[in-house]
Each structure stands twice: as C-alpha cells, then as structure tokens.
Amino acid sequence: MNQITHANGGDHNQNNLAVGCHLLGFVGLVVPFGHILGPLALWLIKREGNPFVDDQGREAVNFQISFSLWSIIAVTLSLVLVWTVIIPVLAVIALVILAIIWVVTMILAAVRASRGEAYRYPFTLRLLS
C-alpha cells in the first residue's frame, strides 16, 4: 500500500477531496443509489490534475459498487433460503455485518485519506481502472 501518494505528505485540498469521495458513500442512506452517485460525481469532476483524488475516488466508487453487489447477493440468498428459521437469522446477521463493514471501512478510508495515505478497501472488485 502506498503510504503517501502525492508530494510532501499531501496537498490538503486533494486530501479533503479524497476524504469527500469516501464519505459521500453515506449519501446512500438518504438518496437511492447515492452511495455510488455521490463518490462518482466528485471523482468525475475533480480527478483531472489531482492524482490522489483520482486514485481514491476510483477506489471509493469501486467499493460502493462492490458493496452493492455483495448486498444484493446476501439479500437474494436470504430470500431464496427463507424456508427455515435458522437461515433467515443468519442472513440478517450477514446483512448487519455487511453494514458494519461498510461504515467502518468508509471511516477508515476517510481517516487515511485525510493523512494523504492511499487506502484499499477489502473485498473490492476493481471494476474502474
């Protein structure tokens, strides 16, 4: 993992924009698909001439898309396997764990970006390169 991805520990403006890319995922709590659209919009607008924002914005968008896919799979499995009492309980537990991972990793990514450190989300499909 790159500790610092831009010169001299970081340009505060780039760091703040990268933090925004990560934290805009929370828009999804109030706007449908906002968890993807928020980071995507900021990344597309600010990536030119900002290599750190380009890297971290792409990472944030990839994570949000991956998170959506993992959530769809978990919900689908819970609906398909609803024929017992144990499976729905396990599905709900899995969804709660996914939600906790979603929140914690976005906060961790934002903290790292604020320091000028590149962050790589776990279990993320790198769809945008």
Side-chain angles (χ1 to χ4, degrees), residues 26 29 35 63-78 90-106 121-124:
F26 287 114
L29 295 173
H35 65 291
F63 171 70
Q64 296 301 339
I65 293 169
S66 298
F67 172 79
S68 296
L69 294 174
W70 302 137
S71 298
I72 290 168
I73 290 169
V75 168
T76 302
L77 284 175
S78 69
L90 293 176
V92 168
I93 291 170
L95 290 173
V96 168
I97 290 170
L98 271 175
I100 291 169
I101 290 170
W102 182 67
V103 169
V104 169
T105 55
M106 282 194 302
Y121 288 94
F123 310 110
T124 299

Side-chain angles (χ1 to χ4, degrees), residues 2-128:
N2 295 335
Q3 285 288 46
I4 304 294
T5 59
H6 43 87
N8 301 325
D11 169 345
H12 292 294
N13 186 44
Q14 282 195 45
N15 290 1
N16 291 339
L17 289 170
V19 167
C21 287
H22 292 295
L23 293 181
L24 277 171
F26 287 114
V27 172
L29 295 173
V30 292
V31 176
F33 304 105
H35 65 291
I36 296 172
L37 297 176
L40 178 64
L42 183 57
W43 173 61
L44 289 173
I45 292 168
K46 294 296 186 176
R47 68 182 175 173
E48 295 298 319
N50 296 305
F52 188 60
V53 176
D54 184 31
D55 175 67
Q56 291 301 284
R58 184 180 318 108
E59 185 68 14
V61 173
N62 279 329
F63 171 70
Q64 296 301 339
I65 293 169
S66 298
F67 172 79
S68 296
L69 294 174
W70 302 137
S71 298
I72 290 168
I73 290 169
V75 168
T76 302
L77 284 175
S78 69
L79 292 174
V80 168
L81 301 173
V82 77
W83 49 272
T84 71
V85 173
I86 295 171
I87 299 298
V89 170
L90 293 176
V92 168
I93 291 170
L95 290 173
V96 168
I97 290 170
L98 271 175
I100 291 169
I101 290 170
W102 182 67
V103 169
V104 169
T105 55
M106 282 194 302
I107 292 170
L108 183 58
V111 168
R112 294 265 180 92
S114 73
R115 294 186 215 149
E117 299 172 11
Y119 183 76
R120 295 292 170 252
Y121 288 94
F123 310 110
T124 299
L125 305 170
R126 304 296 190 275
L127 302 170
L128 302 174

